[in-house]
Amino acid sequence: MTARWSGMDALPPENLYPYTVSRPIYSNPTFEEDNERQAREERTLRERLSCTCRQALKVVKGVFPVIDWLSRYPIREWLPSDVVSGVSTGLVCSLQGLAYALLVSVAPVYGLYSAFFPILTYFLLGTSRHISVGPFPVTCLMVGSVVLTLAPDDHFLLPGNGTGVNGTEADGIVVDVEAMEAQRIMVASSMTVLVGLFQVVMGLLQVGFLVRYLSDPLVGGFTTAAAFHVLISQLKIVLSVPTNNHSGCFSILYTLIDVFTNIRQTNRADLVAGLLTIVIVMAVKEVNSKFRHKIPVPIPIEVIVTVFAAGISYATELESRYGASLVHSIPRGFAPAQPPNTELLWNILGSSFSTAVVGYAVAVSVAKVYAAKHDYTIDGNQELIAFGFSNVFCGCFSGFVASTALSRTAVQESTGGKSQMAGIISAVMVMIVILALGNLLEPLQKSVLAAIVVANLKGMFMQVTEVPTLWRQNRADCFIWLATCLASVVLGLDVGLLAGLVFEMGTVVVRTQFPACSTLGNIPGTNIYRNMKDYKNIAEVPGIKIFKCNAPIYFANIDYFKERLRATVGFDSVRVFKKRNKALKKIHKLIKKGKLRATEGFESEQDSGRESGQVEDGDWPVPEVEVRVDWALELPVRVSVPKVQIHSLVLDFSAVSFLDVVAAKSLRLVIKEFLRIGVNVYIAGCDDEIVRKMEALAFFDEEVTRDLLFLSVHDAILFIKLETANGSMQDAMVEGVRDPEISGLFSDLN
């Protein structure tokens, strides 16, 4: 049996060409039989574990990507560009490392360590050629909030009225600075190691896909909120006013209250230096951005400003004359390696996990941008492992969490960086600063470093301009952005991120719990079926309803699915069944009592008996009476039976991606409810994976068979039309019920 349809049946536009298709009408069973469906082959454990030498080499290259790209490194073509890029990026790394250490509330020298050690391991394990690995403001602030929580100033107060070698005095209170800094870097480095371990474990478990739950709107709202936190945290340094250490909920508000309470204590030298730095850095960055195609190398304005600021501070003795707050000691050399404090790990577990996810998400997002730009691919799971080991290594040498920064990566790429060889050269530059040049920056004002941090926040603040666009494009994404940003500002970064993620998951649940459902109609003369509401030139197939659900069907939306289905067909099959049986029961009693004769709409075996004169009224036994009722006509009993205007229902499952146990059970029951009122149900467009899932869920039985599955909606419609034309399909308007079966049907119903 074949079906033929042609686009020539309807006049096409001049720019379209009609085509004709001729093939059998396929149900799923016949298609599988004709095309010899085969079971999927499953490899044994031994086959999976067997590894050839070539496969082993591939695994080694996967773990250490440097082996692959370094062996093919074109020295003459790439090395000069990488050297220039590495020197430029190294200078920026050094300055940003010093500045971002203020966000972690540790001494600036530890920022240099954080800008050096992660690059070494990422060079061996990373898959991105262009990202600059090192501190990132958001992760630094997340670490800093934990540091201030576990090691606040109050824990290091010393008795006495004066200032000792290891203490500073403010308002008669002496703080043991050396002990405080030692404890704070211990907290920061221990958290960094734990962050790295989380990332390594996630990478080994191949769960890099989990970061995909951090959608672009969520990350945008979160990083914008983080920029507000960074701005407020650096405001007190630019103004050089004393404030208490706040973290957690409403920390921004409390910090602002402290700042404005002590605003009269602002140090003018620090304020002027900070404001000038912000203006100059932002202005020159605008020039770099506007003339990036004309300037061969971006102006390293952070380096220039820092050098000038340090020289001016040294020459004018700002600390002794104006009380400016300086960087002071930047010791030469590296701190000895030390293990993390295991006693702290349980206290920082949750914050470490959220920081690990955020750091990886930001780094991979930036890496993907440059990978697409330069036509290569990155491995998400390998990136997790690379950043994980980088953070473990960095934490063991008194560094804090490493990720990447778009501004620093932009410098590395725009100055000609071709590979991570530029990263190694930048690490060499940072090492030179650590070993030889660090003491030259000791006169530098902290407000200048804070201003550099603030000036680099412009890109994060500009994400606010995405909100109107999101509002026009997708309201749900706009709400995710706003909810995440607001929660992160009010509740803190770690709790805010969790709240934003929960809100995002809630929107996904809502969108799948209330999916878009539609009634389809046929474009005349074609095999095309579309939503009835969207087109004028569309016709509903007489006697057939086509229902489409554009979402997975699972426990949360199966009830909504049934509600929309009832609205589409125009009746409740369960109610129709109850009413019909109630009417049949009354009709049957009337026939038994002889009060009802056969009419055009009613026939019974009694009438033939009466006409032959075999029995008298009320005297004859009726062991079994068959009643055939035309439900389209008016009934002789006072029972309101809903009208059923269709004989077939086609469920378009082409957009259904999965079913669960609850949905399969409920769907099978729905099909049986339609079948027992004479409405045949067909499912069209199921993917093979959905069919396998149905089989696994024991969806099919004696009533709901695999014969109701069809490859497409058009296959199902043509089959229904052929069955109706041949008269083999039961008329939905006529119900045949024998008396003994009535009680059985009611027992099934109850």
Side-chain angles (χ1 to χ4, degrees):
M1 182 184 299
T2 61
R4 181 183 297 271
W5 60 87
S6 172
M8 297 184 68
D9 295 340
L11 287 176
E14 294 181 357
N15 62 333
L16 298 181
Y17 297 92
Y19 68 92
T20 301
V21 176
S22 179
R23 66 167 177 81
I25 298 175
Y26 274 129
S27 65
N28 277 57
T30 56
F31 179 81
E32 292 169 2
E33 182 180 352
D34 290 351
N35 293 275
E36 299 181 2
R37 179 188 177 187
Q38 60 184 7
R40 294 185 178 181
E41 296 183 1
E42 296 288 341
R43 292 189 300 170
T44 64
L45 181 61
R46 175 176 294 182
E47 291 173 340
R48 293 181 181 182
L49 293 177
S50 62
C51 183
T52 62
C53 294
R54 183 177 298 178
Q55 290 173 328
L57 180 61
K58 185 177 180 181
V59 170
V60 172
K61 287 183 177 180
V63 176
F64 298 99
V66 64
I67 298 175
D68 186 33
W69 66 262
L70 193 60
S71 62
R72 297 180 286 106
Y73 184 81
I75 297 178
R76 292 184 178 180
E77 297 177 14
W78 284 12
L79 187 58
S81 298
D82 280 340
V83 170
V84 174
S85 174
V87 172
S88 303
T89 308
L91 295 174
V92 176
C93 280
S94 301
L95 270 299
Q96 288 190 352
L98 291 171
Y100 294 156
L102 301 179
L103 296 174
V104 187
S105 299
V106 296
V109 68
Y110 298 111
L112 294 176
Y113 300 158
S114 303
F116 173 74
F117 288 107
I119 298 175
L120 305 180
T121 45
Y122 189 85
F123 174 80
L124 300 174
L125 303 173
T127 59
S128 173
R129 302 176 190 170
H130 294 90
I131 64 172
S132 175
V133 182
F136 177 59
V138 176
T139 54
C140 289
L141 192 62
M142 296 177 76
V143 175
S145 65
V146 176
V147 168
L148 293 179
T149 301
L150 298 182
D153 294 346
D154 298 344
H155 289 185
F156 304 96
L157 300 180
L158 294 175
N161 299 321
T163 303
V165 177
N166 299 328
T168 60
E169 183 178 1
D171 298 331
I173 300 175
V174 179
V175 178
D176 189 345
V177 175
E178 184 174 334
M180 181 180 68
E181 289 188 351
Q183 180 64 17
R184 286 183 173 181
I185 193 58
M186 176 58 71
V187 174
S189 60
S190 298
M191 182 173 174
T192 300
V193 171
L194 188 56
V195 166
L197 291 176
F198 273 126
Q199 291 175 333
V200 170
V201 171
M202 287 193 292
L204 294 176
L205 295 178
Q206 303 285 296
V207 294
F209 67 90
L210 291 177
V211 182
R212 297 174 188 171
Y213 288 102
L214 301 179
S215 64
D216 289 344
L218 185 141
V219 173
F222 176 76
T223 51
T224 303
F228 279 103
H229 279 278
V230 172
L231 175 63
I232 300 303
S233 69
Q234 299 307 288
L235 180 62
K236 62 183 180 182
I237 299 177
V238 172
L239 297 175
S240 190
V241 296
T243 62
N244 294 319
N245 296 322
H246 303 289
S247 60
C249 298
F250 303 105
S251 59
I252 284 184
L253 179 61
Y254 296 142
T255 303
L256 283 175
I257 292 174
D258 287 349
V259 168
F260 286 108
T261 301
N262 301 318
I263 194 70
R264 294 182 180 179
Q265 301 181 38
T266 299
N267 185 285
R268 295 180 181 179
D270 287 336
L271 177 61
V272 170
L275 292 178
L276 285 176
T277 301
I278 292 173
V279 172
I280 294 172
V281 171
M282 293 185 68
V284 176
K285 280 183 174 290
E286 282 295 321
V287 173
N288 286 339
S289 176
K290 189 173 183 179
F291 299 100
R292 60 182 179 276
H293 299 297
K294 298 180 180 180
I295 303 176
V297 178
I299 301 172
I301 186 60
E302 290 99 335
V303 178
I304 296 173
V305 166
T306 302
V307 171
F308 271 97
I312 292 172
S313 175
Y314 178 77
T316 58
E317 299 180 354
L318 290 178
E319 183 181 23
S320 59
R321 288 187 177 184
Y322 302 100
S325 178
L326 306 184
V327 171
H328 286 301
S329 176
I330 300 181
R332 293 185 179 183
F334 296 97
Q338 59 180 349
N341 188 339
T342 55
E343 296 179 358
L344 295 172
L345 298 184
W346 287 108
N347 297 326
I348 58 178
L349 204 62
S351 299
S352 298
F353 181 76
S354 59
T355 306
V357 172
V358 171
Y360 169 70
V362 171
V364 169
S365 299
V366 175
K368 285 182 177 180
V369 170
Y370 288 97
K373 182 177 179 179
H374 294 276
D375 194 25
Y376 65 93
T377 59
I378 63 170
D379 185 342
N381 290 306
Q382 181 61 27
E383 287 293 293
L384 265 175
I385 295 174
F387 276 102
F389 279 110
S390 296
N391 282 315
V392 171
F393 185 54
C394 180
C396 290
F397 285 91
S398 302
F400 46 82
V401 175
S403 179
T404 189
L406 186 57
S407 59
R408 195 169 60 245
T409 300
V411 170
Q412 181 165 316
E413 190 266 347
S414 62
T415 52
K418 304 295 184 183
S419 69
Q420 280 301 323
M421 191 66 73
I424 284 294
I425 295 171
S426 69
V428 172
M429 294 300 299
V430 177
M431 183 177 65
I432 292 173
V433 173
I434 294 173
L435 297 178
L437 303 179
N439 61 331
L440 298 179
L441 298 175
E442 291 179 356
L444 183 65
Q445 293 170 267
K446 289 184 178 180
S447 64
V448 173
L449 293 178
I452 291 174
V453 174
V454 172
N456 280 284
L457 296 177
K458 179 190 173 185
M460 296 169 69
F461 277 121
M462 290 302 294
Q463 294 177 119
V464 175
T465 59
E466 298 175 2
V467 176
T469 304
L470 287 174
W471 180 261
R472 292 191 300 268
Q473 294 176 344
N474 191 311
R475 300 283 175 87
D477 287 339
C478 183
F479 287 135
I480 291 171
W481 197 103
L482 293 173
T484 305
C485 183
L486 184 61
S488 299
V489 168
V490 174
L491 304 177
L493 294 181
D494 48 357
V495 178
L497 177 63
L498 178 60
L501 188 59
V502 170
F503 184 84
E504 181 187 48
M505 293 296 101
T507 62
V508 173
V509 171
V510 169
R511 281 184 275 187
T512 58
Q513 189 171 354
F514 303 101
C517 300
S518 56
T519 303
L520 304 186
N522 177 244
I523 303 296
T526 72
N527 64 331
I528 300 172
Y529 296 82
R530 290 293 184 269
N531 192 333
M532 295 282 294
K533 297 180 180 179
D534 294 337
Y535 298 91
K536 294 181 179 179
N537 184 29
I538 197 168
E540 190 170 21
V541 183
I544 305 173
K545 284 287 185 181
I546 308 171
F547 178 77
K548 183 175 184 179
C549 178
N550 294 308
I553 304 176
Y554 64 111
F555 66 92
N557 67 5
I558 185 63
D559 289 334
Y560 181 79
F561 174 89
K562 291 190 289 186
E563 289 176 9
R564 298 300 303 158
L565 181 59
R566 282 195 293 268
T568 297
V569 299
F571 58 86
D572 184 342
S573 58
V574 175
R575 184 170 180 270
V576 171
F577 181 72
K578 288 181 178 180
K579 292 293 185 179
R580 285 188 178 184
N581 277 284
K582 184 177 181 180
L584 282 171
K585 201 170 184 180
K586 290 187 176 183
I587 291 171
H588 188 73
K589 288 181 179 180
L590 291 176
I591 293 175
K592 278 188 174 183
K593 295 178 180 180
K595 295 181 180 180
L596 183 64
R597 291 179 176 272
T599 63
E600 184 178 352
F602 305 94
E603 297 179 1
S604 71
E605 295 176 357
Q606 285 178 281
D607 298 308
S608 59
R610 285 179 179 278
E611 293 174 1
S612 62
Q614 296 175 358
V615 294
E616 299 294 334
D617 288 349
D619 295 333
W620 50 304
V622 186
E624 184 177 277
V625 180
E626 181 179 347
V627 182
R628 292 178 58 81
V629 181
D630 188 344
W631 300 106
L633 301 178
E634 184 178 353
L635 301 177
V637 293
R638 294 183 179 179
V639 179
S640 177
V641 179
K643 303 297 182 183
V644 178
Q645 304 295 340
I646 62 173
H647 55 73
S648 299
L649 171 66
V650 177
L651 302 177
D652 184 356
F653 273 22
S654 57
V656 176
S657 57
F658 73 85
L659 295 169
D660 68 353
V661 176
V662 176
K665 184 178 179 180
S666 298
L667 187 61
R668 183 172 63 247
L669 183 59
V670 167
I671 294 174
K672 291 183 177 181
E673 289 170 354
F674 278 104
L675 290 177
R676 66 187 180 184
I677 63 170
V679 177
N680 295 291
V681 182
Y682 305 90
I683 300 177
C686 283
D687 183 78
D688 288 343
E689 201 62 41
I690 294 294
V691 177
R692 291 189 184 94
K693 179 61 69 175
M694 288 179 171
E695 293 171 346
L697 295 173
F699 179 78
F700 303 107
D701 56 20
E702 294 180 357
E703 289 184 78
V704 182
T705 65
R706 298 182 81 257
D707 292 331
L708 59 81
L709 299 178
F710 283 83
L711 288 189
S712 68
V713 171
H714 200 62
D715 284 295
I717 297 298
L718 292 179
F719 175 80
I720 293 169
K721 288 183 174 180
L722 288 174
E723 291 292 295
T724 304
N726 295 335
S728 58
M729 181 173 291
Q730 183 180 357
D731 189 354
M733 297 298 107
V734 178
E735 180 86 10
V737 180
R738 293 182 181 272
D739 181 38
E741 298 177 356
I742 295 177
S743 60
L745 290 171
F746 271 95
S747 63
D748 290 342
L749 184 63
N750 296 327

